[in-house]
Amino acid sequence: MNRSIRLMTAALTASAALLLTACGSGGGDKDSSDKIEGAGDGGSKASASASAKPGGAKRPEVELPGSFKADFAGWRNSDPKKQAILDDGKERLKAEYLAIIDSDPKSEAVSFYNSEQALTSSRTYIKGYVDNNHNLIGKARVFNPQVSISDTGGGVLFYCVDESKGYTLDRKTKEKTGTPDDVNPVLQYRTTLRKTSEGVWTTVSLETVRGGCDK
């Protein structure tokens, strides 16, 4: 997989100071298997029978197929407010992966977890895969989440994604393409989030920086 750098809003830049400056390996990979199963075209649509937190919005259930796995390492926090940001930030990324696999740039799950610049950027990214008839297979390791809440109540979430075992699959030719040897396969995602009246932490700005983390 090869993702281009996205524009980041001023709010993200201002909030970044709330986080730790280092982005190292924040947890171990719990899955030692590198086997890729079901490397075909099939996906798994996000379920309309959503899950709901008490008194909150119904969230779409985003389940990735066996052909692509996202391993989230260390995504736990003792602060319930920060854990809520982690939970919704995690589902945002999964929804984006699933939209690519399902060739669905208008995915309802993506629009549920994104708004403003982040929604525009995410839809553009997904559409790039769809227009090129590409799928995702393999595995992404998502680690070292760094989360904070600003004085104004906004959320900031940085995390790392190792794409070294993730691949782009041409749906017609079945040709598999990975990150080139001379390109760092690890990206840092830098996001800001806002809590809706229904209690959902939606991502409003998003940037990815290749090489921003260590494996």
Side-chain angles (χ1 to χ4, degrees), residues 130-188:
V130 174
D131 289 349
N132 286 290
N133 207 28
H134 287 164
N135 194 3
L136 290 179
I137 60 172
K139 179 170 66 175
R141 178 171 173 260
V142 190
F143 62 101
N144 197 28
Q146 301 174 65
V147 60
S148 68
I149 300 175
S150 70
D151 294 338
T152 58
V156 181
L157 174 60
F158 284 22
Y159 55 90
C160 306
V161 179
D162 181 0
E163 298 183 338
S164 60
K165 295 178 182 177
Y167 304 91
T168 297
L169 181 73
D170 189 295
R171 296 180 190 270
K172 291 183 178 180
T173 67
K174 306 304 179 184
E175 180 181 0
K176 184 176 73 173
T177 304
T179 303
D181 292 339
D182 60 345
V183 175
N184 193 323
V186 183
L187 298 91
Q188 184 183 55

Side-chain angles (χ1 to χ4, degrees), residues 65-120:
S67 55
F68 184 81
K69 184 179 297 184
D71 290 333
F72 291 83
W75 281 65
R76 304 299 303 173
N77 194 288
S78 58
D79 185 332
K81 292 182 179 179
K82 292 181 179 179
Q83 185 60 51
I85 294 174
L86 289 172
D87 290 343
D88 285 340
K90 175 181 179 179
E91 292 304 302
R92 189 217 72 80
L93 181 61
K94 287 172 57 183
E96 188 174 77
Y97 286 147
L98 184 60
I100 293 172
I101 294 167
D102 285 340
S103 296
D104 185 13
K106 295 183 179 180
S107 161
E108 292 184 3
V110 169
S111 60
F112 182 90
Y113 287 110
N114 294 273
S115 62
E116 300 180 22
Q117 177 266 339
L119 180 57
T120 300

Side-chain angles (χ1 to χ4, degrees), residues 40 161 191-192 196:
V161 179
T191 69
T192 58
T196 69

